[in-house]
């Protein structure tokens, strides 16, 4: 068993990718928690696709990809917010339009600029090809974003719970929105390598939504989400290593399986275990019987 | 004193409020009443600076509200809140202390005491560890009232605080209004009650995009005014009252 666990660690590429997996496994659920409670889970997907034009240009100009991706992501966030506040267009339609247009622009730019950018690894991730630079980049982003969340926790809590109330009491809601969008974009950049832009939304949403079914406070949702995120990343990588499967989809499907378990067995929300359901009643009867036996 | 002068608001191309002027002194509980779509919530939001004002002035104690946002407590309409949000009663009320704590700092011990007192006042302290979704409608409204109390504001703007509440909550809220009034606070409450319940307000503002009448409940709720605001006569309104459950004022 121990050998089974330690064998992959002998390879440098596995070590690097496991470290990235842990970082991303912690970071994504923390930011994803905020997306979920604002009913903006799909924004993760939008931002993930919207970074493509920036990546293409940065690759062409040989500047740091992070800068290009960040600029592109923030512009798209601005456009969505503008469409939403200044016109009668609703947020879901604004997101759908921006996301597909930016993605199309990105694909076009890759062709026009004759980039050697590998669209496939960008779309689906290439965690086994990570370098030490990638590890450092992801590590720094993770620590910076987590620190910001810690510093602005109570303001973000207020903002995501009751935006109008936060604005009424004098919190700078526009700056909070912008800062939060920056955090989402950075999180996506950090996770791109691990699962790719098509699947990153799953890491943002999967572990956090699983935790959502199990706890009753926002910080608990983040904490448990991070634990589940790390479990998903690491087990996904091991499955990928031993069964020769693509790593991104393996991580995503582990995270999805954990969600299904919580959906069925969560004490308060589980389909089989919550009070009032067939399963819930059965477990209640069994408990009563046990109590009776104990009393006798 | 809250002073509103010639306030007009147009919201996405629709004239929502037109030329509203009124003053509210301290130690008053004022009720804001009018048919659906009359602009009650819009007026409260405009006072709070949450939506742009087309024309007019809003002043509190001689200054704009932007300069003293901490002095204004706001209870939003219940439909504006996601009741499934993972948060406990205690932390909702603690939010009111966010500006007092300042950036980068956790709320002080004093804030904790204030939150405790507010929760005890609305009789929700024992349920402080409950998630807000596990409460009844009346309990949820009491939590938001506690949040407003914990802010220690002077001006209270409450948007339909008595929607979906039980008799106990109604009585408790009424008691708290009286207490706040005796402490010199100003309360502006948008309401959907009708009849006897309106006697709890010192003053009523009858609104239908413009201010139709303002004064004591008896002066405001005359058949002519009701006809103007609701387009229905007082007698017909009373006769149909039990049937017209969707008819909010």
């Amino acid at each position: 068993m121990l050998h089974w666990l330690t064998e992959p660690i002998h390879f440098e590429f596995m070590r690097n990718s496991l470290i990235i997996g842990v970082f991303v496994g912690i970071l994504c659920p923390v930011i994803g928690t905020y997306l979920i409670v604002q009913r903006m889970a799909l924004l993760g997907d939008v931002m993930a696709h919207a970074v493509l034009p920036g990546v293409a240009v940065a690759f062409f100009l040989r500047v740091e990809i992070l800068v290009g991706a960040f600029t592109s992501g923030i512009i798209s966030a601005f456009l969505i917010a503008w469409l939403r506040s200044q016109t009668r267009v609703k947020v879901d339609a604004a997101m759908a339009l921006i996301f597909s247009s930016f993605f199309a622009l990105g694909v076009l730019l890759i062709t026009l600029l004759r980039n050697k950018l590998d669209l496939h690894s960008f779309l689906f991730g290439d965690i086994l090809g990570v370098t030490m630079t990638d590890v450092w980049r992801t590590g720094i982003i993770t620590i910076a974003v987590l620190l910001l969340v810690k510093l602005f926790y109570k303001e973000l809590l207020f903002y995501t719970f009751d935006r109008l109330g936060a604005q009424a009491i004098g919190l700078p809601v526009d700056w909070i929105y912008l800062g939060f969008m920056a955090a989402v974009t950075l999180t996506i950049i950090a996770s791109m390598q691990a699962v790719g832009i098509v699947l990153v939304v799953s890491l943002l949403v999967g572990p956090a939504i699983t935790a959502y079914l199990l706890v009753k406070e926002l910080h608990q949702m983040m904490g448990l989400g991070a634990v589940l995120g790390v479990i998903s990343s690491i087990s996904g990588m091991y499955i990928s290593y031993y069964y020769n499967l693509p790593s991104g989809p393996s991580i995503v499907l582990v995270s999805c399986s954990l969600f299904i378990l919580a959906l069925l067995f969560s004490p308060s929300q589980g389909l089989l275990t919550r009070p009032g359901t067939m399963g819930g009643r059965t477990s209640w009867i069994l408990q009563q019987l046990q109590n009776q036996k104990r009393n006798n | 004193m809250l002073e509103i002068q010639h306030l007009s608001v147009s919201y996405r191309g629709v004239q929502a409020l037109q030329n509203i002027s009124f003053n509210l002194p301290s130690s008053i509980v004022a009720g804001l009443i009018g048919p659906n779509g009359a602009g009650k919530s819009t007026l409260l939001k405009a006072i709070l600076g949450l939506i742009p004002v087309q024309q007019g002035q809003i002043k509190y104690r001689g200054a704009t509200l932007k300069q003293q946002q901490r002095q204004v407590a706001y209870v939003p309409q219940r439909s504006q809140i996601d009741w499934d949000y993972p948060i406990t009663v205690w932390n909702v009320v603690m939010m009111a202390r966010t500006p007092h704590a300042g950036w980068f700092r956790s709320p002080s011990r004093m804030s904790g005491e204030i939150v405790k007192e507010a929760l005890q006042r609305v009789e929700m302290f024992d349920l402080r560890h409950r998630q807000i979704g596990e409460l009844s409608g009346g309990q949820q409204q009491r939590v938001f009232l506690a949040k407003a109390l914990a802010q220690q504001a002077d001006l209270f703007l409450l948007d339909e605080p008595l929607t979906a509440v039980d008799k106990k909550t109604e009585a408790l809220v009424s008691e708290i209004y009286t207490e706040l009034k005796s402490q010199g606070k100003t309360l502006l409450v948008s309401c959907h009650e009708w009849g006897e319940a309106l006697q709890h307000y010192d003053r009523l503002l009858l609104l239908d995009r413009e201010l139709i009448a303002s004064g004591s409940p008896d002066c405001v709720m005359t058949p002519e005014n009701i006809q103007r605001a609701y387009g229905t006569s007082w007698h017909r309104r009373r006769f149909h009252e039990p049937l017209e459950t969707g008819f909010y004022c």
Side-chain angles (χ1 to χ4, degrees):
Chain A
M1 178 69 184
L2 197 66
H3 175 72
W4 188 84
L5 280 175
T6 52
E7 191 200 302
I9 298 175
H10 294 306
F11 299 99
E12 198 195 341
F13 75 92
M14 272 307 276
R15 275 201 302 275
N16 285 347
S17 48
L18 280 169
I19 296 171
I20 285 217
V22 171
F23 280 144
V24 170
I26 296 171
L27 178 61
C28 281
V30 171
I31 292 299
T33 294
Y34 285 124
L35 288 172
I36 291 164
V37 295
Q38 292 181 88
R39 303 178 192 186
M40 291 179 92
L42 280 175
L43 189 75
D45 206 22
V46 173
M47 301 293 274
H49 286 75
V51 299
L52 190 59
V55 172
V57 173
F59 203 81
F60 177 71
L61 298 174
R62 290 174 202 281
V63 293
E64 170 64 40
I65 285 185
L66 199 149
V67 179
F70 188 73
T71 317
S72 191
I74 290 294
I75 292 174
S76 75
F78 253 126
L79 286 175
I80 292 168
W82 182 81
L83 272 176
R84 186 185 175 186
S85 63
Q86 301 298 318
T87 67
R88 58 193 284 190
V89 174
K90 300 285 180 290
V91 69
D92 56 332
M95 291 201 300
L97 182 81
I98 298 288
F99 133 73
S100 48
S101 310
F102 268 64
F103 191 65
L105 180 68
V107 175
L108 215 71
L109 280 173
I110 290 176
T111 319
L112 281 178
L113 302 174
R114 295 179 199 289
N115 268 347
K116 290 216 176 73
L117 186 69
D118 179 9
L119 191 61
H120 188 267
S121 75
F122 186 76
L123 290 178
F124 300 107
D126 182 17
I127 198 166
L128 303 181
V130 294
T131 59
M132 263 327 266
T133 324
D134 297 325
V135 173
W136 275 107
R137 186 195 292 134
T138 309
I140 291 169
I141 292 178
T142 305
I143 291 163
V145 173
L146 292 181
L147 201 68
L148 287 174
V149 168
K150 170 98 182 99
L151 280 177
F152 297 107
Y153 182 78
K154 65 180 189 313
E155 285 80 12
L156 279 166
L157 178 74
F158 204 155
Y159 172 83
T160 53
F161 177 61
D162 175 14
R163 189 177 203 267
L164 281 179
Q167 196 181 348
I169 212 166
L171 291 181
V173 286
D174 293 334
W175 286 106
I176 295 179
Y177 173 77
L178 193 67
F180 177 63
M181 282 304 130
V184 173
T185 314
L186 284 173
T187 304
I188 283 159
I189 295 167
S191 329
M192 248 162 29
Q193 191 100 37
V195 284
I197 58 167
V198 178
L199 298 177
V200 65
V201 69
S202 158
L203 261 190
L204 279 166
V205 174
I209 199 89
T210 309
Y212 181 71
L213 296 178
L214 298 166
V215 300
K216 56 179 183 181
E217 290 252 42
L218 193 81
H219 63 270
Q220 296 167 339
M221 191 172 154
M222 290 177 173
L224 183 60
V227 171
L228 297 172
V230 171
I231 292 175
S232 307
S233 293
I234 295 183
S235 20
M237 305 271 283
Y238 272 83
I239 291 171
S240 148
Y241 177 84
Y242 280 108
Y243 296 97
N244 201 19
L245 293 168
S247 49
S250 308
I251 295 172
V252 169
L253 289 178
V254 172
S255 148
C256 179
S257 315
L258 291 176
F259 171 75
I260 293 170
L261 284 177
L263 185 68
L264 294 176
F265 301 111
S266 155
S268 58
Q269 312 289 322
L271 294 180
L272 298 178
T273 45
R274 71 180 165 205
T277 58
M278 199 55 191
R281 272 200 295 275
T282 317
S283 63
W284 183 80
I285 292 166
L286 281 175
Q287 205 182 353
Q288 295 298 315
L289 284 174
Q290 264 172 1
N291 284 348
Q292 228 167 31
K293 214 188 267 174
R294 216 173 294 144
N295 290 340
N296 290 339
Chain B
M1 166 107 91
L2 175 70
E3 298 164 76
I4 315 280
Q5 284 173 351
H6 309 295
L7 178 74
S8 293
V9 172
S10 98
Y11 199 56
R12 288 190 177 150
V14 180
Q15 192 71 41
L17 294 174
Q18 187 138 32
N19 201 19
I20 309 267
S21 296
F22 64 88
N23 290 339
L24 290 181
S26 49
S27 298
I28 195 171
V29 182
L32 191 56
I33 189 165
N36 265 341
K40 299 187 297 282
S41 295
T42 309
L43 176 59
L44 295 182
K45 284 180 185 165
I47 295 174
L48 286 157
L50 299 177
I51 48 174
V53 168
Q54 200 181 6
Q55 214 178 42
Q57 259 193 342
I58 301 158
K59 289 210 162 158
Y60 182 60
R61 291 174 177 164
T64 61
L65 278 175
K66 200 101 194 140
Q67 294 160 319
Q68 38 187 344
Q69 280 168 310
R70 219 189 276 183
Q71 296 308 325
V72 193
Y74 169 53
V75 174
Q77 226 173 63
R78 52 176 297 118
S79 58
Q80 211 172 288
I81 300 297
D82 172 15
W83 297 103
D84 285 328
Y85 193 101
I87 192 166
T88 55
V89 168
W90 177 268
N91 282 331
V92 169
V93 181
M94 189 52 102
M95 270 182 197
R97 306 299 302 170
T98 306
H100 304 76
W103 296 96
F104 315 127
R105 282 197 226 134
S106 331
S108 62
R109 189 175 298 170
M110 200 181 83
S111 284
E113 283 299 315
I114 291 167
V115 168
K116 185 178 166 190
E117 258 172 50
L119 279 171
Q120 279 169 338
R121 183 63 200 91
V122 301
E123 297 175 18
M124 287 297 293
F125 186 67
D126 293 341
L127 300 179
R128 65 190 178 282
H129 298 306
R130 285 266 185 100
Q131 202 221 320
I132 50 163
E134 296 167 3
L135 306 173
S136 72
Q139 290 169 332
Q140 289 172 338
Q141 289 303 91
R142 276 190 268 158
V143 171
F144 269 77
L145 191 60
K147 179 171 173 252
L149 293 177
Q151 198 182 321
Q152 297 187 315
D154 293 325
L155 176 61
F156 288 73
L157 302 177
L158 301 98
D159 204 346
E160 302 200 348
L162 293 179
T163 310
V165 304
D166 46 291
K167 286 282 168 217
K168 185 188 167 192
T169 302
E170 218 175 291
L172 197 72
V173 169
S174 174
E175 259 174 49
I176 291 171
Y177 285 176
T178 315
E179 271 173 35
L180 289 171
K181 197 171 99 177
S182 69
Q183 292 164 14
K185 316 275 187 192
T186 307
L187 279 79
L188 180 56
V189 186
S190 105
C191 55
H192 69 273
E193 312 96 273
W194 192 270
E196 283 295 302
L198 293 179
Q199 296 301 330
H200 295 305
Y201 298 101
D202 303 314
R203 197 157 143 196
L204 282 184
L205 302 164
L206 180 59
L207 192 76
D208 188 17
R209 298 193 183 193
E210 51 186 2
L211 192 59
I212 290 177
S214 153
S216 69
D218 289 334
C219 295
V220 169
M221 300 312 274
T222 60
E224 297 79 47
N225 286 340
I226 291 167
Q227 170 77 34
R228 267 183 74 194
Y230 294 89
T232 174
S233 77
W234 175 242
H235 297 291
R236 223 186 102 212
R237 167 88 193 108
R238 281 177 80 92
F239 180 71
H240 285 292
E241 199 166 14
L243 301 171
E244 292 181 324
T245 46
F247 193 105
Y248 291 122
C249 43

